[in-house]
Amino acid sequence: MIDWMGLHGNHLHEVEERHQLHSEALLAYKAMQLSAINDGIDLQLVSSYRSFDRQLAIWNNKWNGGATLYDPLGQPLVFETLTDKQKLFAILTWSALPGASRHHWGTDMDVFDYQRVKAWGEPFELVTAEYEGNGPCAELSFWLSDNMESFGFYRPFDAYTGGVAAEPWHISFKTTAETYEKERNAKALLQHLQSANISGLSTIEACFTEIFPRFVLNRGTL
Ligand SMILES: [Zn+2]
């Protein structure tokens, strides 16, 4: 059975000290990285495989006010003013439910230009502005648009359509990711969440039929 909820991690290989990728995505990633470096772009991983438990920790931290929440354009929200439903939708715009992150698959990764970010010297926050205009990862973003497809990668969060916010840094190894996409199902996900120690469960349950297609499948609303 395919481990689409990040429960076991048997499909993974170490890439670097802190990173793991799906064995099928590893060589393609390495080849793409080498090509980028040859073009003067220091393509490196910010985030790669993430387990269910790691995503659960991220989720619970956000639900309980431990991190700033943002609107779809990246503007910070005032936590205290949000209803539980608003909080749910705000978190889902930028973070997946545990069990529903594409990072569970090892096929998906967030990338940045390490050398340019280091030279830039400001705190790196993985926000859109860093990947546009004069941002330190703007050249990387152009390079990805021009080249990633030939290595089998694409951007699953290319544009905001009412689901997950646009994430120019998030790329996916398409052929393998598609086998995971087909496995996703609402019932199994909800059942697993009900057995986990997740904050906001009653709100998640009440909105589940809406949030599954909108955010998990990222069909959006537009
Ligand atoms: Zn990502």
Side-chain angles (χ1 to χ4, degrees):
M1 212 177 106
I2 292 186
D3 178 20
W4 62 278
M5 288 194 281
L7 304 179
H8 311 298
N10 299 332
H11 54 290
L12 301 169
H13 276 252
E14 294 281 322
V15 201
E16 290 149 31
E17 221 176 302
R18 294 179 305 108
H19 292 289
Q20 295 169 301
L21 290 176
H22 194 291
S23 49
E24 292 170 16
L26 188 63
L27 285 179
Y29 168 71
K30 282 286 183 192
M32 181 171 70
Q33 182 186 44
L34 192 61
S35 176
I37 289 171
N38 283 333
D39 288 342
I41 311 274
D42 190 23
L43 191 164
Q44 302 286 348
L45 296 169
V46 179
S47 184
S48 47
Y49 169 74
R50 217 179 284 146
S51 68
F52 180 94
D53 287 341
R54 177 78 193 106
Q55 195 69 24
L56 181 65
I58 292 170
W59 180 274
N60 285 348
N61 185 50
K62 288 198 171 180
W63 187 272
N64 295 305
T68 308
L69 304 184
Y70 297 92
D71 75 7
L73 296 174
Q75 296 303 312
L77 297 166
V78 182
F79 186 82
E80 291 73 22
T81 65
L82 303 175
T83 65
D84 279 354
K85 190 175 173 181
Q86 287 171 329
K87 207 158 80 174
L88 176 69
F89 283 60
I91 298 173
L92 286 169
T93 302
W94 292 98
S95 291
L97 277 169
S101 173
R102 297 180 65 101
H103 285 279
H104 296 330
W105 308 342
T107 57
D108 284 49
M109 58 207 82
D110 302 330
V111 295
F112 72 153
D113 185 327
Y114 176 71
Q115 287 299 336
R116 283 194 179 80
V117 166
K118 207 170 79 171
W120 183 50
E122 294 187 39
F124 182 67
E125 294 174 315
L126 209 62
V127 294
T128 311
E130 291 158 347
Y131 288 76
E132 297 173 339
N134 294 323
C137 298
E139 277 192 65
L140 164 69
S141 189
F142 281 123
W143 190 92
L144 288 170
S145 299
D146 287 344
N147 296 285
M148 68 181 158
E149 198 182 331
S150 63
F151 296 94
F153 290 88
Y154 81 113
R155 285 190 179 99
F157 309 121
D158 195 29
Y160 175 68
T161 62
V164 179
E167 294 187 1
W169 52 81
H170 183 116
I171 60 172
S172 178
F173 188 60
K174 192 168 189 182
T175 50
T176 308
E178 278 171 350
T179 66
Y180 283 84
E181 286 178 351
K182 291 191 191 109
E183 292 294 315
R184 297 182 291 195
N185 84 81
K187 196 173 159 209
L189 178 62
L190 183 58
Q191 270 177 0
H192 197 75
L193 291 171
Q194 285 165 335
S195 74
N197 193 11
I198 185 166
S199 300
L201 180 61
S202 61
T203 312
I204 294 168
E205 287 173 326
C207 300
F208 203 73
T209 53
E210 181 181 356
I211 63 180
F212 186 81
R214 179 167 168 182
F215 294 99
V216 179
L217 304 182
N218 196 30
R219 294 195 183 134
T221 53
L222 311 176

